[in-house]
Amino acid sequence: MKRHQITIIDIAKALNLSKSTVSRALTGHPSVNAATRQAVLELAEKLDYQRNMLAISLVTRKTNTIGIIVPEFTSSYFPNITIGAQEVASKAGYNTVICQSNETYETEVANTKVMLANQVDGVLVSITKETKNFDHLKIFQRKGIPIVFFNRVCDEMDVPKVIVDDYDGAFRAVNHLVERGRKRIAHLSGPPSLKISEKRLNGYKAALRKNNIELDEELVIPYDLNLDKVHIYVNHLLNLPHPPDAIFAINDPTAIEIIQVVKKRGLQVPEDIAVVGFSNDFAAGLIHPSLTTVSQPVKEIGGTAAQLLIDQMSRDVSDWKSIIRVLKTELIVRNSS
């Protein structure tokens, strides 16, 4: 079949109406009587008419589309944030274009080009573990396209950001382990390039200080979030002359992998070694033993970020606000501690 996109002209000819009348009927203009509007809408639905958003954007200089760039979709964390953002964007009349960067800087750069090519009205971004140069993101600012960071943010750019209190969440997680009688608490931390790694590490250290436990640098291992390496680090910790009796992990996927490695060594969780994660991933409550973790309000993160972006898009560039929203976490105690 020959491809043909139904247009306003087709509807106008079929109903013997002017193009302007059909256009006003489709947009609900009050000058069109109810019977005519109903006839136009019924025929538009029957013919699968779709508004030409490209033509509309050329006139309005808006695409009513926002972009969302996330570092990965391997856990439930970023998909749930995206859902929260989409819900708020949809209610405000915006469509979304979603890209995931596979934790690589090069892919993130390519994703920004996709957003620019699609002429998004604004963009939500959480950076990859590799991202140290932000020139590709600063392009949005230069072009007058608002940008909002969430979770993994860029401190170089004076724009809105949505984060959680990573320091406090980590502090309470480690303090909980101390209250359960643990004294040698290891920390499998994230890449130093990420602010969340730094803040969670600082929270870990603060909890040790508060409980008069001397920091043992041998128990702190930064790693690049590659889960294939977790068994190397955990086995190293377990082979120490004085192995840890607990491990606080940078995130839940890491914590879940830790539990698997510990069990393969013939040890019991939490009897021999307690494990605590961060994020409250979907799988945290399903594994055995269930994972104690720091819960983040993931859908609220996405919704808050989207609302901040929509607020920016409604303002003149000179009136943009660099708001930072810090959301609270909650310690969820389960069987792993």
Side-chain angles (χ1 to χ4, degrees), residues 117-143:
N118 280 274
Q119 299 182 334
V120 295
D121 296 332
V123 62
L124 303 174
V125 179
S126 188
I127 62 175
T128 77
K129 64 184 181 184
E130 296 182 354
T131 306
K132 298 175 184 176
N133 181 300
F134 304 99
D135 290 346
H136 59 297
L137 297 169
K138 293 176 182 177
I139 293 173
F140 292 104
Q141 282 184 302
R142 292 200 297 271
K143 289 182 174 291

PDB file of all heavy atoms in Angstrom, residues 117-143:
ATOM      1  N   ALA A 117      18.967  16.805  18.464  1.00  0.00           N
ATOM      2  CA  ALA A 117      18.377  16.557  17.150  1.00  0.00           C
ATOM      3  C   ALA A 117      16.858  16.504  17.215  1.00  0.00           C
ATOM      4  O   ALA A 117      16.173  16.913  16.276  1.00  0.00           O
ATOM      5  CB  ALA A 117      18.920  15.249  16.569  1.00  0.00           C
ATOM      6  N   ASN A 118      16.331  16.017  18.340  1.00  0.00           N
ATOM      7  CA  ASN A 118      14.883  15.952  18.524  1.00  0.00           C
ATOM      8  C   ASN A 118      14.296  17.251  19.060  1.00  0.00           C
ATOM      9  O   ASN A 118      13.093  17.334  19.304  1.00  0.00           O
ATOM     10  CB  ASN A 118      14.520  14.801  19.469  1.00  0.00           C
ATOM     11  CG  ASN A 118      14.512  13.453  18.777  1.00  0.00           C
ATOM     12  OD1 ASN A 118      13.510  13.048  18.196  1.00  0.00           O
ATOM     13  ND2 ASN A 118      15.639  12.763  18.816  1.00  0.00           N
ATOM     14  N   GLN A 119      15.152  18.243  19.249  1.00  0.00           N
ATOM     15  CA  GLN A 119      14.734  19.582  19.673  1.00  0.00           C
ATOM     16  C   GLN A 119      13.862  19.541  20.935  1.00  0.00           C
ATOM     17  O   GLN A 119      12.801  20.160  21.000  1.00  0.00           O
ATOM     18  CB  GLN A 119      13.999  20.312  18.538  1.00  0.00           C
ATOM     19  CG  GLN A 119      14.859  20.506  17.307  1.00  0.00           C
ATOM     20  CD  GLN A 119      14.149  21.273  16.203  1.00  0.00           C
ATOM     21  OE1 GLN A 119      12.923  21.255  16.118  1.00  0.00           O
ATOM     22  NE2 GLN A 119      14.912  21.944  15.368  1.00  0.00           N
ATOM     23  N   VAL A 120      14.340  18.789  21.939  1.00  0.00           N
ATOM     24  CA  VAL A 120      13.585  18.714  23.187  1.00  0.00           C
ATOM     25  C   VAL A 120      13.508  20.097  23.833  1.00  0.00           C
ATOM     26  O   VAL A 120      14.397  20.934  23.672  1.00  0.00           O
ATOM     27  CB  VAL A 120      14.234  17.707  24.165  1.00  0.00           C
ATOM     28  CG1 VAL A 120      14.156  16.298  23.611  1.00  0.00           C
ATOM     29  CG2 VAL A 120      15.673  18.085  24.496  1.00  0.00           C
ATOM     30  N   ASP A 121      12.435  20.327  24.558  1.00  0.00           N
ATOM     31  CA  ASP A 121      12.253  21.617  25.234  1.00  0.00           C
ATOM     32  C   ASP A 121      13.053  21.694  26.528  1.00  0.00           C
ATOM     33  O   ASP A 121      13.287  22.786  27.065  1.00  0.00           O
ATOM     34  CB  ASP A 121      10.766  21.835  25.549  1.00  0.00           C
ATOM     35  CG  ASP A 121       9.924  21.936  24.288  1.00  0.00           C
ATOM     36  OD1 ASP A 121      10.461  22.367  23.258  1.00  0.00           O
ATOM     37  OD2 ASP A 121       8.732  21.583  24.339  1.00  0.00           O
ATOM     38  N   GLY A 122      13.457  20.546  27.063  1.00  0.00           N
ATOM     39  CA  GLY A 122      14.244  20.491  28.289  1.00  0.00           C
ATOM     40  C   GLY A 122      14.738  19.073  28.482  1.00  0.00           C
ATOM     41  O   GLY A 122      14.268  18.139  27.818  1.00  0.00           O
ATOM     42  N   VAL A 123      15.697  18.885  29.400  1.00  0.00           N
ATOM     43  CA  VAL A 123      16.268  17.549  29.559  1.00  0.00           C
ATOM     44  C   VAL A 123      16.593  17.260  31.031  1.00  0.00           C
ATOM     45  O   VAL A 123      17.048  18.130  31.770  1.00  0.00           O
ATOM     46  CB  VAL A 123      17.537  17.379  28.676  1.00  0.00           C
ATOM     47  CG1 VAL A 123      18.620  18.364  29.083  1.00  0.00           C
ATOM     48  CG2 VAL A 123      18.061  15.954  28.710  1.00  0.00           C
ATOM     49  N   LEU A 124      16.310  16.017  31.438  1.00  0.00           N
ATOM     50  CA  LEU A 124      16.655  15.500  32.755  1.00  0.00           C
ATOM     51  C   LEU A 124      17.845  14.559  32.585  1.00  0.00           C
ATOM     52  O   LEU A 124      17.834  13.709  31.699  1.00  0.00           O
ATOM     53  CB  LEU A 124      15.492  14.725  33.370  1.00  0.00           C
ATOM     54  CG  LEU A 124      14.158  15.460  33.526  1.00  0.00           C
ATOM     55  CD1 LEU A 124      13.085  14.491  34.018  1.00  0.00           C
ATOM     56  CD2 LEU A 124      14.305  16.618  34.482  1.00  0.00           C
ATOM     57  N   VAL A 125      18.857  14.693  33.451  1.00  0.00           N
ATOM     58  CA  VAL A 125      20.079  13.917  33.263  1.00  0.00           C
ATOM     59  C   VAL A 125      20.594  13.356  34.580  1.00  0.00           C
ATOM     60  O   VAL A 125      20.635  14.053  35.596  1.00  0.00           O
ATOM     61  CB  VAL A 125      21.199  14.785  32.633  1.00  0.00           C
ATOM     62  CG1 VAL A 125      22.478  13.964  32.457  1.00  0.00           C
ATOM     63  CG2 VAL A 125      20.760  15.341  31.291  1.00  0.00           C
ATOM     64  N   SER A 126      21.016  12.084  34.538  1.00  0.00           N
ATOM     65  CA  SER A 126      21.807  11.473  35.601  1.00  0.00           C
ATOM     66  C   SER A 126      23.048  10.919  34.917  1.00  0.00           C
ATOM     67  O   SER A 126      22.938  10.100  33.999  1.00  0.00           O
ATOM     68  CB  SER A 126      21.024  10.357  36.304  1.00  0.00           C
ATOM     69  OG  SER A 126      21.707   9.903  37.440  1.00  0.00           O
ATOM     70  N   ILE A 127      24.226  11.378  35.324  1.00  0.00           N
ATOM     71  CA  ILE A 127      25.455  11.111  34.578  1.00  0.00           C
ATOM     72  C   ILE A 127      25.987   9.694  34.815  1.00  0.00           C
ATOM     73  O   ILE A 127      25.633   9.029  35.781  1.00  0.00           O
ATOM     74  CB  ILE A 127      26.548  12.141  34.917  1.00  0.00           C
ATOM     75  CG1 ILE A 127      26.914  12.075  36.404  1.00  0.00           C
ATOM     76  CG2 ILE A 127      26.104  13.534  34.520  1.00  0.00           C
ATOM     77  CD1 ILE A 127      28.081  12.973  36.789  1.00  0.00           C
ATOM     78  N   THR A 128      26.882   9.263  33.938  1.00  0.00           N
ATOM     79  CA  THR A 128      27.494   7.941  34.054  1.00  0.00           C
ATOM     80  C   THR A 128      28.660   7.976  35.039  1.00  0.00           C
ATOM     81  O   THR A 128      29.151   9.040  35.430  1.00  0.00           O
ATOM     82  CB  THR A 128      28.037   7.433  32.707  1.00  0.00           C
ATOM     83  OG1 THR A 128      29.274   8.106  32.418  1.00  0.00           O
ATOM     84  CG2 THR A 128      27.056   7.678  31.574  1.00  0.00           C
ATOM     85  N   LYS A 129      29.144   6.801  35.401  1.00  0.00           N
ATOM     86  CA  LYS A 129      30.287   6.693  36.313  1.00  0.00           C
ATOM     87  C   LYS A 129      31.567   7.203  35.660  1.00  0.00           C
ATOM     88  O   LYS A 129      32.552   7.504  36.344  1.00  0.00           O
ATOM     89  CB  LYS A 129      30.473   5.248  36.747  1.00  0.00           C
ATOM     90  CG  LYS A 129      30.830   4.292  35.605  1.00  0.00           C
ATOM     91  CD  LYS A 129      30.901   2.850  36.066  1.00  0.00           C
ATOM     92  CE  LYS A 129      31.283   1.909  34.926  1.00  0.00           C
ATOM     93  NZ  LYS A 129      31.274   0.497  35.344  1.00  0.00           N
ATOM     94  N   GLU A 130      31.590   7.302  34.309  1.00  0.00           N
ATOM     95  CA  GLU A 130      32.786   7.740  33.588  1.00  0.00           C
ATOM     96  C   GLU A 130      32.822   9.242  33.336  1.00  0.00           C
ATOM     97  O   GLU A 130      33.864   9.777  32.943  1.00  0.00           O
ATOM     98  CB  GLU A 130      32.877   7.023  32.232  1.00  0.00           C
ATOM     99  CG  GLU A 130      33.062   5.533  32.303  1.00  0.00           C
ATOM    100  CD  GLU A 130      33.201   4.895  30.927  1.00  0.00           C
ATOM    101  OE1 GLU A 130      33.032   5.611  29.913  1.00  0.00           O
ATOM    102  OE2 GLU A 130      33.470   3.688  30.866  1.00  0.00           O
ATOM    103  N   THR A 131      31.715   9.916  33.525  1.00  0.00           N
ATOM    104  CA  THR A 131      31.598  11.312  33.097  1.00  0.00           C
ATOM    105  C   THR A 131      32.379  12.257  34.012  1.00  0.00           C
ATOM    106  O   THR A 131      32.043  12.421  35.183  1.00  0.00           O
ATOM    107  CB  THR A 131      30.120  11.741  33.043  1.00  0.00           C
ATOM    108  OG1 THR A 131      29.398  10.822  32.217  1.00  0.00           O
ATOM    109  CG2 THR A 131      29.994  13.137  32.465  1.00  0.00           C
ATOM    110  N   LYS A 132      33.411  12.872  33.443  1.00  0.00           N
ATOM    111  CA  LYS A 132      34.217  13.861  34.168  1.00  0.00           C
ATOM    112  C   LYS A 132      34.276  15.186  33.414  1.00  0.00           C
ATOM    113  O   LYS A 132      34.594  16.228  33.988  1.00  0.00           O
ATOM    114  CB  LYS A 132      35.625  13.321  34.402  1.00  0.00           C
ATOM    115  CG  LYS A 132      35.657  12.057  35.268  1.00  0.00           C
ATOM    116  CD  LYS A 132      37.050  11.479  35.369  1.00  0.00           C
ATOM    117  CE  LYS A 132      37.040  10.170  36.153  1.00  0.00           C
ATOM    118  NZ  LYS A 132      38.379   9.539  36.196  1.00  0.00           N
ATOM    119  N   ASN A 133      33.991  15.146  32.130  1.00  0.00           N
ATOM    120  CA  ASN A 133      33.922  16.350  31.296  1.00  0.00           C
ATOM    121  C   ASN A 133      32.450  16.605  30.973  1.00  0.00           C
ATOM    122  O   ASN A 133      31.722  15.688  30.576  1.00  0.00           O
ATOM    123  CB  ASN A 133      34.738  16.147  30.017  1.00  0.00           C
ATOM    124  CG  ASN A 133      34.727  17.365  29.113  1.00  0.00           C
ATOM    125  OD1 ASN A 133      33.679  17.808  28.653  1.00  0.00           O
ATOM    126  ND2 ASN A 133      35.897  17.907  28.852  1.00  0.00           N
ATOM    127  N   PHE A 134      32.018  17.850  31.127  1.00  0.00           N
ATOM    128  CA  PHE A 134      30.590  18.144  30.993  1.00  0.00           C
ATOM    129  C   PHE A 134      30.270  19.115  29.844  1.00  0.00           C
ATOM    130  O   PHE A 134      29.189  19.695  29.802  1.00  0.00           O
ATOM    131  CB  PHE A 134      30.066  18.715  32.317  1.00  0.00           C
ATOM    132  CG  PHE A 134      30.321  17.816  33.487  1.00  0.00           C
ATOM    133  CD1 PHE A 134      31.406  18.041  34.333  1.00  0.00           C
ATOM    134  CD2 PHE A 134      29.519  16.716  33.731  1.00  0.00           C
ATOM    135  CE1 PHE A 134      31.670  17.203  35.402  1.00  0.00           C
ATOM    136  CE2 PHE A 134      29.776  15.861  34.798  1.00  0.00           C
ATOM    137  CZ  PHE A 134      30.843  16.108  35.637  1.00  0.00           C
ATOM    138  N   ASP A 135      31.199  19.244  28.905  1.00  0.00           N
ATOM    139  CA  ASP A 135      30.988  20.173  27.791  1.00  0.00           C
ATOM    140  C   ASP A 135      29.749  19.819  26.984  1.00  0.00           C
ATOM    141  O   ASP A 135      29.025  20.699  26.506  1.00  0.00           O
ATOM    142  CB  ASP A 135      32.214  20.193  26.874  1.00  0.00           C
ATOM    143  CG  ASP A 135      33.425  20.852  27.524  1.00  0.00           C
ATOM    144  OD1 ASP A 135      33.231  21.525  28.561  1.00  0.00           O
ATOM    145  OD2 ASP A 135      34.546  20.690  27.005  1.00  0.00           O
ATOM    146  N   HIS A 136      29.499  18.524  26.821  1.00  0.00           N
ATOM    147  CA  HIS A 136      28.353  18.090  26.024  1.00  0.00           C
ATOM    148  C   HIS A 136      27.030  18.460  26.686  1.00  0.00           C
ATOM    149  O   HIS A 136      26.017  18.643  25.998  1.00  0.00           O
ATOM    150  CB  HIS A 136      28.409  16.582  25.775  1.00  0.00           C
ATOM    151  CG  HIS A 136      28.421  15.751  27.015  1.00  0.00           C
ATOM    152  ND1 HIS A 136      29.436  15.803  27.952  1.00  0.00           N
ATOM    153  CD2 HIS A 136      27.534  14.828  27.505  1.00  0.00           C
ATOM    154  CE1 HIS A 136      29.183  14.973  28.927  1.00  0.00           C
ATOM    155  NE2 HIS A 136      28.040  14.366  28.699  1.00  0.00           N
ATOM    156  N   LEU A 137      27.033  18.594  28.013  1.00  0.00           N
ATOM    157  CA  LEU A 137      25.820  18.974  28.733  1.00  0.00           C
ATOM    158  C   LEU A 137      25.673  20.493  28.818  1.00  0.00           C
ATOM    159  O   LEU A 137      24.553  21.017  28.864  1.00  0.00           O
ATOM    160  CB  LEU A 137      25.832  18.357  30.134  1.00  0.00           C
ATOM    161  CG  LEU A 137      25.809  16.818  30.149  1.00  0.00           C
ATOM    162  CD1 LEU A 137      26.105  16.280  31.540  1.00  0.00           C
ATOM    163  CD2 LEU A 137      24.461  16.295  29.657  1.00  0.00           C
ATOM    164  N   LYS A 138      26.795  21.193  28.803  1.00  0.00           N
ATOM    165  CA  LYS A 138      26.754  22.656  28.854  1.00  0.00           C
ATOM    166  C   LYS A 138      26.179  23.247  27.560  1.00  0.00           C
ATOM    167  O   LYS A 138      25.749  24.405  27.540  1.00  0.00           O
ATOM    168  CB  LYS A 138      28.147  23.215  29.122  1.00  0.00           C
ATOM    169  CG  LYS A 138      28.661  22.877  30.523  1.00  0.00           C
ATOM    170  CD  LYS A 138      30.097  23.347  30.740  1.00  0.00           C
ATOM    171  CE  LYS A 138      30.586  22.955  32.133  1.00  0.00           C
ATOM    172  NZ  LYS A 138      32.010  23.332  32.357  1.00  0.00           N
ATOM    173  N   ILE A 139      26.173  22.455  26.495  1.00  0.00           N
ATOM    174  CA  ILE A 139      25.581  22.910  25.225  1.00  0.00           C
ATOM    175  C   ILE A 139      24.115  23.281  25.423  1.00  0.00           C
ATOM    176  O   ILE A 139      23.623  24.260  24.844  1.00  0.00           O
ATOM    177  CB  ILE A 139      25.712  21.817  24.137  1.00  0.00           C
ATOM    178  CG1 ILE A 139      27.182  21.617  23.767  1.00  0.00           C
ATOM    179  CG2 ILE A 139      24.905  22.184  22.888  1.00  0.00           C
ATOM    180  CD1 ILE A 139      27.426  20.459  22.827  1.00  0.00           C
ATOM    181  N   PHE A 140      23.398  22.503  26.248  1.00  0.00           N
ATOM    182  CA  PHE A 140      21.984  22.800  26.482  1.00  0.00           C
ATOM    183  C   PHE A 140      21.820  24.199  27.069  1.00  0.00           C
ATOM    184  O   PHE A 140      20.940  24.955  26.660  1.00  0.00           O
ATOM    185  CB  PHE A 140      21.358  21.752  27.408  1.00  0.00           C
ATOM    186  CG  PHE A 140      21.242  20.386  26.800  1.00  0.00           C
ATOM    187  CD1 PHE A 140      22.115  19.365  27.152  1.00  0.00           C
ATOM    188  CD2 PHE A 140      20.249  20.116  25.855  1.00  0.00           C
ATOM    189  CE1 PHE A 140      22.001  18.101  26.585  1.00  0.00           C
ATOM    190  CE2 PHE A 140      20.131  18.855  25.287  1.00  0.00           C
ATOM    191  CZ  PHE A 140      21.018  17.847  25.645  1.00  0.00           C
ATOM    192  N   GLN A 141      22.669  24.540  28.024  1.00  0.00           N
ATOM    193  CA  GLN A 141      22.601  25.870  28.625  1.00  0.00           C
ATOM    194  C   GLN A 141      22.848  26.950  27.583  1.00  0.00           C
ATOM    195  O   GLN A 141      22.136  27.960  27.545  1.00  0.00           O
ATOM    196  CB  GLN A 141      23.630  25.998  29.756  1.00  0.00           C
ATOM    197  CG  GLN A 141      23.222  25.338  31.062  1.00  0.00           C
ATOM    198  CD  GLN A 141      24.238  25.592  32.157  1.00  0.00           C
ATOM    199  OE1 GLN A 141      25.410  25.247  32.011  1.00  0.00           O
ATOM    200  NE2 GLN A 141      23.792  26.190  33.249  1.00  0.00           N
ATOM    201  N   ARG A 142      23.851  26.743  26.746  1.00  0.00           N
ATOM    202  CA  ARG A 142      24.181  27.755  25.732  1.00  0.00           C
ATOM    203  C   ARG A 142      23.049  27.946  24.733  1.00  0.00           C
ATOM    204  O   ARG A 142      22.869  29.034  24.190  1.00  0.00           O
ATOM    205  CB  ARG A 142      25.468  27.369  25.001  1.00  0.00           C
ATOM    206  CG  ARG A 142      26.713  27.440  25.868  1.00  0.00           C
ATOM    207  CD  ARG A 142      27.963  27.536  25.017  1.00  0.00           C
ATOM    208  NE  ARG A 142      28.158  26.362  24.179  1.00  0.00           N
ATOM    209  CZ  ARG A 142      28.820  25.283  24.575  1.00  0.00           C
ATOM    210  NH1 ARG A 142      29.318  25.225  25.803  1.00  0.00           N
ATOM    211  NH2 ARG A 142      28.985  24.266  23.742  1.00  0.00           N
ATOM    212  N   LYS A 143      22.293  26.885  24.497  1.00  0.00           N
ATOM    213  CA  LYS A 143      21.185  26.971  23.554  1.00  0.00           C
ATOM    214  C   LYS A 143      19.875  27.405  24.219  1.00  0.00           C
ATOM    215  O   LYS A 143      18.832  27.456  23.567  1.00  0.00           O
ATOM    216  CB  LYS A 143      20.981  25.619  22.855  1.00  0.00           C
ATOM    217  CG  LYS A 143      22.087  25.261  21.863  1.00  0.00           C
ATOM    218  CD  LYS A 143      21.791  23.945  21.175  1.00  0.00           C
ATOM    219  CE  LYS A 143      22.804  23.657  20.077  1.00  0.00           C
ATOM    220  NZ  LYS A 143      22.661  24.590  18.924  1.00  0.00           N
TER     221      LYS A 143
END
